[in-house]
Amino acid sequence: MRAPGRVTIGDVARHAGVSVATVSKVVNDRYGVSPATVARVQQVVAELGYESSLVARSLRGTPTRVIGILVAEFEPFSTEILKGASEAALGTGYELLAFSGALSRADSVGWEHRSLARLAGTLVDGAILVTPTVVDPRQTIPVVAIDPHTGPAGPPTIDSDNLAGGRTATEHLLGLGHRRIGLLAGRPDLESSHLRERGYREALDAAGIAFDPDLVRVGSYRAEQASSPARELLTLPERPTAIFAANDLSALRTIEVARELGLRVPEDLSVIGFDDIPEAAAATPPLTTVAQPLHRMGAEALRLVLDLLEGREREPHLRLPTSLVTRASTAPPAV
């Protein structure tokens, strides 16, 4: 009985044998309709696949029961966050709308403002921002930021313990016997990058090894931007025997560059990453990494948005622990 093209409220009314006003009351859960009529209208709605316009519902002051998840781009990190949020949304009565907000890489700063301007108050009741460049506390809807560039401040945030994770990665390499450890750092404008580098330095200092700036290059968290700095590290006169890359994408590219230079991983070079995206386990060799609980980060962000919408009080800033995942890309240095 599905109507051709887009199903309208008029189609539902005609098939159910009631007025448009009656259909509107049913789909918006308003009183004044008999149970038998409600059941008949709901059956027709299901059979026709009718969905009321989110914008129209918002303009009437009716919640859309949609949470927006806004990302600069769809890449492995944000995709895993989305999976966690999606799993947590099951059974809540809310749906998710994933939206890529960056118009271009050169125009990425401030993407969250543009995105929220398009969605807030019309399509979504609340929003999750994944690694936003800035977070404006003066939003018209509840907003939760995951791993914001400037760290936890202002609006509610979810992140992981980047400082401890940086220490863990470096301590793992030190424990294997490496003493000349390179760092392929993340983006200099992100708090997570600074914390991971600080963890690297703290671990070296605790082991009695002086920090050597010659062993540090910026990889910017992007695979294509990691090639050149990785090559610089691996062609030093005294190259590092191990590299801590500040995210998995940079680590995986480092392994590729090492292979191009004739270096074997882990026999000639150990490599450790950060994030534990699915590509890490599938790599050759499988990548040792520091895991962020990405699914849980997405799930906790979704729950926090719902708490804000429903007026439940809770701690606004949540920091989750990281953990070491040992695979085949790290080993003791060659003698």
Side-chain angles (χ1 to χ4, degrees):
M1 195 173 67
R2 184 176 298 277
R6 179 173 179 175
V7 178
T8 68
I9 193 171
D11 295 327
V12 176
R14 186 167 57 256
H15 282 279
V18 298
S19 68
V20 168
T22 297
V23 176
S24 178
K25 287 181 179 181
V26 173
V27 298
N28 290 294
D29 197 24
R30 295 174 183 161
Y31 64 89
V33 184
S34 71
T37 301
V38 169
R40 185 165 71 255
V41 171
Q42 289 176 338
Q43 180 181 357
V44 172
V45 165
E47 291 174 345
L48 295 182
Y50 171 71
E51 287 287 347
S52 60
S53 165
L54 295 179
V55 174
R57 285 160 60 187
S58 178
L59 290 174
R60 291 195 301 268
T62 303
T64 63
R65 298 192 71 80
V66 174
I67 304 300
I69 301 187
L70 283 58
V71 301
E73 60 179 320
F74 294 108
E75 37 70 44
F77 175 88
S78 61
T79 299
E80 294 306 300
I81 294 288
L82 284 167
K83 291 177 183 177
S86 179
E87 292 165 2
L90 293 175
T92 65
Y94 283 84
E95 297 178 319
L96 302 183
L97 173 66
F99 187 85
S100 179
L103 298 179
S104 69
R105 290 177 187 170
D107 189 31
S108 61
V109 174
W111 60 266
E112 54 283 316
H113 289 312
R114 296 187 295 271
S115 301
L116 284 173
R118 293 184 177 97
L119 302 179
T122 55
L123 294 179
V124 301
D125 293 338
I128 297 169
L129 307 181
V130 181
T131 61
T133 56
V134 290
V135 181
D136 188 346
R138 301 164 299 173
Q139 299 296 342
T140 59
I141 60 173
V143 170
V144 171
I146 294 179
D147 195 22
H149 285 211
T150 55
T157 59
I158 307 287
D159 65 8
S160 66
D161 196 337
N162 290 289
L163 176 61
R167 280 199 302 263
T168 297
T170 312
E171 287 169 353
H172 171 69
L173 297 173
L174 290 166
L176 291 172
H178 294 278
R179 292 298 178 266
R180 192 163 176 79
I181 301 171
L183 173 67
L184 195 57
R187 286 176 49 174
D189 61 327
L190 269 65
E191 178 69 7
S192 63
S193 300
H194 297 305
L195 289 172
R196 292 174 198 181
E197 179 173 345
R198 186 174 137 200
Y200 162 81
R201 293 189 183 213
E202 287 183 359
L204 291 178
D205 184 64
I209 298 174
F211 170 73
D212 184 352
D214 287 342
L215 293 178
V216 178
R217 297 292 187 280
V218 176
S220 296
Y221 285 161
R222 304 189 67 89
E224 63 269 25
Q225 295 176 352
S227 295
S228 178
R231 189 175 296 274
E232 289 178 16
L233 286 173
L234 295 180
T235 54
L236 287 171
E238 290 186 67
R239 68 167 178 83
T241 62
I243 289 181
F244 166 33
N247 76 337
D248 287 347
L249 291 177
S250 299
L252 295 174
R253 181 55 59 90
T254 298
I255 292 175
E256 293 177 4
V257 171
R259 188 176 296 121
E260 292 168 2
L261 295 172
L263 298 174
R264 299 167 300 162
V265 175
E267 293 85 355
D268 302 317
L269 175 74
S270 285
V271 179
I272 188 170
F274 202 111
D275 283 340
D276 198 25
I277 58 176
E279 290 83 350
T284 304
L287 180 68
T288 296
T289 188
V290 173
Q292 296 193 77
L294 300 178
H295 284 202
R296 185 183 169 194
M297 290 168 71
E300 294 288 355
L302 188 280
R303 295 185 188 109
L304 182 48
V305 169
L306 297 188
D307 285 344
L308 293 171
L309 282 168
E310 297 171 13
R312 293 189 290 266
E313 292 188 7
R314 56 173 285 180
E315 170 58 46
H317 303 297
L318 179 61
R319 175 158 291 168
L320 301 176
T322 55
S323 59
L324 178 67
V325 179
T326 305
R327 298 193 180 103
S329 67
T330 53
V335 178

